[in-house]
């Protein structure tokens, strides 16, 4: 009888603990979700300041926020349609006077470089690249170089696209399929079809096989 009674107690205890355990998990999940929501809400708040506040640096100083690479990247991404304001925010973020512990990484540099390139602000873009490579000793990734080649192409600066492609080794970027496709895109944007087909032949001579994007660019250009 005692054994039976003990089993009943254990069963009752387990049946009571399960709802409590479930409630605890629910609270933990809710807390995590709330923290994420608050984090992204804070990023959106900072992004709104960057986009809309004429005195954005002064307003940001009052927030006393902790600057991290992820926060800077996410704010830049959210403000990609506001290049001048994005640059002001980036310069503010890396100001050692206000944020001595923050050092920008290649991710944030490449984001602001892409934003400036897409807005046809190439002079400032190259100034940032110089700062990135010479002062911080960081390199542009092949994806970033590819994006810049295509940006030049969209703005019909085909000579600059070709020049960047030819000197990509300066950035320790190999002339791989991604870069060939980007230059092909730039050539097709400028309707330079003979040059595009010459580039394809050069690819094949280099032993670089076209992929789906290569063929897609050629088909769309026809």
């Amino acid at each position: 009888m005692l054994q039976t009674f003990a089993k009943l107690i254990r069963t009752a205890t387990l049946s009571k603990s399960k709802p409590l355990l479930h409630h605890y998990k629910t609270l933990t999940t809710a807390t995590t979700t709330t923290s994420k929501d608050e984090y992204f809400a804070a990023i959106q708040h900072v992004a709104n300041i960057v986009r809309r506040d004429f005195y954005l640096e002064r307003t940001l100083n009052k927030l006393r926020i902790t600057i991290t690479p992820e926060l800077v990247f996410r704010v830049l991404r959210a403000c990609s349609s506001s290049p001048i304001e994005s640059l002001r925010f980036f310069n503010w973020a890396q100001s050692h006077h206000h944020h001595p512990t923050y050092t920008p990484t290649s991710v944030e540099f490449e984001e602001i470089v892409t934003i400036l390139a897409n807005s046809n602000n190439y002079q400032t873009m190259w100034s940032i690249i110089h700062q990135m490579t010479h002062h911080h000793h960081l390199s542009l990734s092949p994806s970033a170089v590819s994006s810049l080649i295509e940006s030049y192409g969209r703005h019909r600066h085909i000579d600059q696209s070709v020049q960047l492609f030819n000197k990509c080794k300066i950035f320790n970027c190999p002339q791989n399929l991604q870069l060939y496709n980007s230059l092909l895109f730039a050539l097709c944007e400028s309707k330079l079809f003979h040059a595009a087909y010459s580039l394809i032949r050069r690819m094949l001579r280099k032993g670089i096989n076209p992929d789906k994007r290569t063929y897609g660019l050629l088909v769309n250009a026809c």
Side-chain angles (χ1 to χ4, degrees):
M1 182 178 289
L2 289 174
Q3 291 178 347
T4 304
F5 186 65
K7 286 182 180 180
L8 288 172
I9 292 176
R10 283 199 298 270
T11 304
T13 304
L14 287 172
S15 64
K16 289 181 180 179
S17 64
K18 285 182 180 179
L20 288 173
L21 182 60
H22 175 72
H23 181 62
Y24 173 74
K25 288 182 178 179
T26 303
L27 284 175
T28 304
T29 304
T31 302
T32 304
T33 304
T34 302
S35 298
K36 287 183 178 180
D37 290 343
E38 290 176 351
Y39 175 69
F40 287 111
I43 290 174
Q44 192 60 44
H45 179 60
V46 173
N48 287 334
I49 292 172
V50 173
R51 286 192 296 258
R52 301 171 184 173
D53 197 325
F54 185 77
Y55 301 102
L56 65 92
E57 293 88 353
R58 185 176 66 184
T59 304
L60 290 172
N61 286 336
K62 294 178 181 178
L63 294 181
R64 299 185 182 277
I65 55 177
T66 301
I67 301 299
T68 64
E70 183 184 4
L71 183 139
V72 173
F73 170 75
R74 290 187 180 277
V75 171
L76 288 174
R77 178 62 62 89
C79 300
S80 58
S81 60
S82 305
I84 302 303
E85 291 76 14
S86 294
L87 180 61
R88 287 175 61 188
F89 168 73
F90 182 68
N91 288 334
W92 171 83
Q94 63 174 330
S95 170
H96 285 279
H97 175 68
H98 295 292
H99 313 107
T101 60
Y102 169 71
T103 301
T105 69
S106 59
V107 175
E108 301 99 89
F109 267 113
E110 289 183 359
E111 184 65 23
I112 188 63
V113 163
T114 301
I115 291 172
L116 293 170
N118 290 338
S119 64
N120 209 6
N121 198 340
Y122 293 106
Q123 184 175 356
T124 306
M125 178 199 78
W126 281 110
S127 176
I128 294 295
I129 291 175
H130 183 271
Q131 178 186 343
M132 174 186 181
T133 55
H134 289 76
H135 296 173
H136 293 270
H137 307 291
L138 299 171
S139 298
L140 284 172
S141 66
S143 296
V145 176
S146 174
S147 176
L148 298 185
I149 291 173
E150 293 189 19
S151 178
Y152 274 128
R154 276 189 291 271
H155 293 117
R156 302 296 192 273
H157 301 314
I158 189 59
D159 290 341
Q160 286 80 1
S161 288
V162 174
Q163 289 173 10
L164 182 55
F165 177 83
N166 288 333
K167 67 178 185 180
C168 65
K169 292 181 180 178
I170 296 176
F171 303 110
N172 298 318
C173 292
Q175 291 181 342
N176 56 17
L177 177 60
Q178 183 180 21
L179 264 65
Y180 270 99
N181 280 340
S182 294
L183 182 56
L184 181 64
F185 168 85
L187 292 170
C188 291
E189 284 288 294
S190 295
K191 311 298 182 184
L192 298 173
F193 303 123
H194 289 293
Y197 285 113
S198 296
L199 183 67
I200 296 295
R201 290 194 293 271
R202 178 179 172 181
M203 283 176 58
L204 296 174
R205 287 197 303 270
K206 296 282 187 179
I208 300 175
N209 295 321
D211 64 358
K212 290 182 179 179
R213 191 185 182 212
T214 311
Y215 293 119
L217 289 169
L218 292 174
V219 169
N220 292 332
C222 295

